[in-house]
Amino acid sequence: MASSIPVPPTPGDSEARPPRLSLFELFAKFLGFGLLAFGGPAAQIAMLKRELVEGEGWISPQRFNRLLAVMQVLPGPEAHELCVHLGMRARGRWGGLLAGLGFMLPGFVLMMALAWLYFRIDFDRGWLAAALFGVQAAVIALIVQAVEKIGRHALTDIWLWGIGAACAAAALSGVPFWITLPAAGLVYAAARGGRIWWAAGSAVLALAAGVWAAQVAGGTPPPAFTGGAPDAPGEVAVLLLFLSGLKAGLLTFGGAYTAIPFLRTDMVGRGWLGDGAFLDGLALSGVLPAPLIIFSTFVGYVAGGPLGALAITAGIFLPAFAFSMIFYDRLETVVDDERLKSALEGVAAGVTGLIAVTAAQLGWGLLSSVDPTWSGRGLGIAIGMASLVVFFRWKSPFAAPVVLAAAGALAVLAT
């Protein structure tokens, strides 16, 4: 029997309850949402709100908005976490588990199939290599747009702008994120609380730790961009891939795009795969009905085969399940705890700086890997800029798949 978890009383929310559903009916409902989850988190959240809040009255609009505010500052993809929470509201913990699995299952199965197919197509052929180059340029534009979108919400005052810039500079200097991100949270929480000296002291300690870490690392340069598709999946240990996914899942503040720098640090930084394959995974996730973070399944497959894909997916989605299932009746208190909220906002600002650096490194690496001619760098810049303009001007759930396909076709026609 499914566990029953009491819902804290909320003004105006007593009449908003899910209908009586069996566990199978609940799973099937969220599986249907997963099959239609195109267009990124905004479109996915809008679909859930339209169907379950406005259409069926599972939860009041006021409480849904409060929960969404919480999900946006906690780690994990917001749409998936909302599915878990609403599933628990309907049928307890089993309901939350099945709702979350149903929502992610279509994208996971499709990504596994595409990863398998990836190693059975010869991407070294002229027109396929050109198409891949165009798609990779468009993916970098997609990440740049994400930096602007995340930054618009995360960088809301001069302190947060400074934290984002400092974390970006630290990343360029080789300082690991496990130093900069905790410092970002501490500095902003202290500054918001009026403890300026504490903020300054935390910043100085972080600077000293960063200098030490950079010296220990010996100033190792970032890995060279490798654009070709590998011939076969790697053999990275399953446990390492699970831990890599878990680390990224715990640090995805502000949406799935924030997982990109953390996964790239492990996957590319350790030589498990190249930037080209990493970008291919991002491109494929952009055309699937799934949270963008499902690209982790692809990179896990490239690094460690089918078991590697399962391991990294389990790791990266585990926090998204855990936060909603364990802290179900306490999530909304995050909004009221100013110290915790301020610390999470500082971390989110730091992550924004890391994503910006990752986008710049990927873009520079892609352009450096081709000839410095119109058919090489010039074409990449043109496709990237054109894609960026379209992404900013065309607000549609289908913008990403259409632009990625068009970028690939344009690159083929231009070469």
Side-chain angles (χ1 to χ4, degrees):
M1 179 180 296
S3 59
S4 177
I5 298 180
V7 178
T10 304
D13 195 47
S14 58
E15 75 287 352
R17 300 292 303 169
R20 295 181 64 87
L21 296 171
S22 68
L23 289 175
F24 177 79
E25 290 171 329
L26 182 70
F27 175 76
K29 178 177 282 290
F30 283 89
L31 183 67
F33 290 144
L35 289 167
L36 299 173
F38 292 98
Q44 294 159 5
I45 292 168
M47 174 180 63
L48 293 172
K49 186 173 184 180
R50 182 178 64 250
E51 298 295 329
L52 300 183
V53 181
E54 300 168 359
E56 299 183 17
W58 282 41
I59 187 173
S60 70
Q62 296 80 10
R63 190 169 190 208
F64 181 87
N65 291 337
R66 286 198 302 274
L67 285 170
L68 179 57
V70 174
M71 303 308 182
Q72 288 174 334
V73 297
L74 288 178
E78 307 99 312
H80 180 268
E81 289 176 325
L82 285 170
C83 288
V84 175
H85 189 93
L86 292 169
M88 287 191 67
R89 188 172 174 82
R91 289 300 305 265
R93 287 194 172 88
W94 278 110
L97 178 64
L98 291 174
L101 288 175
F103 185 69
M104 66 173 285
L105 189 59
F108 172 74
V109 171
L110 288 170
M111 185 60 88
M112 285 286 283
L114 290 174
W116 175 83
L117 188 62
Y118 185 74
F119 290 102
R120 283 151 182 83
I121 296 176
D122 183 9
F123 285 97
D124 290 331
R125 293 186 219 167
W127 71 271
L128 278 175
L132 210 55
F133 174 72
V135 171
Q136 289 171 349
V139 168
I140 293 170
L142 190 62
I143 300 173
V144 172
Q145 187 212 19
V147 173
E148 188 276 335
K149 187 183 299 183
I150 296 169
R152 196 185 328 133
H153 297 287
L155 308 180
T156 55
D157 61 39
I158 191 169
W159 277 98
L160 291 171
W161 273 97
I163 288 170
C167 287
L172 288 172
S173 302
V175 179
F177 64 81
W178 51 264
I179 291 177
T180 55
L181 294 187
L186 288 172
V187 167
Y188 191 62
R192 280 287 300 271
R195 298 185 295 275
I196 303 301
W197 287 108
W198 277 97
S202 298
V204 170
L205 286 175
L207 177 62
V211 170
W212 171 80
Q215 288 178 341
V216 169
T220 304
F225 189 98
T226 53
D231 296 326
E235 298 180 354
V236 179
V238 169
L239 179 59
L240 287 177
L241 290 170
F242 172 79
L243 293 175
S244 179
L246 181 61
K247 178 172 61 179
L250 287 169
L251 294 170
T252 53
F253 294 93
Y257 281 97
T258 58
I260 292 173
F262 308 119
L263 281 178
R264 181 174 178 265
T265 296
D266 278 349
M267 296 293 161
V268 181
R270 297 185 181 187
W272 295 349
L273 73 162
D275 272 325
F278 190 83
L279 285 172
D280 294 339
L282 284 168
L284 292 172
S285 67
V287 301
L288 294 181
L292 179 116
I293 207 168
I294 206 69
F295 83 90
S296 62
T297 302
F298 179 88
V299 297
Y301 194 109
V302 174
L307 289 179
L310 286 168
I312 198 169
T313 305
I316 208 162
F317 275 95
L318 183 59
F321 279 100
F323 278 113
S324 286
M325 294 180 69
I326 297 174
F327 303 109
Y328 172 82
D329 56 351
R330 298 179 179 87
L331 284 177
E332 293 176 65
T333 60
V334 173
V335 175
D336 300 321
D337 190 329
E338 287 299 323
R339 290 176 299 179
L340 178 58
K341 182 182 176 184
S342 296
L344 292 175
E345 288 174 346
V347 172
V351 172
T352 305
L354 298 187
I355 306 172
V357 169
T358 300
Q361 290 174 337
L362 286 170
W364 177 253
L366 180 64
L367 295 178
S368 300
S369 68
V370 295
D371 294 332
T373 60
W374 161 247
S375 61
R377 291 183 189 175
L379 180 61
I381 292 172
I383 290 176
M385 294 301 294
S387 300
L388 190 60
V389 170
V390 176
F391 284 137
F392 275 113
R393 295 184 65 86
W394 187 24
K395 307 300 182 182
S396 167
F398 303 103
V402 170
V403 171
L404 294 179
L410 182 60
V412 171
L413 294 173
T415 55

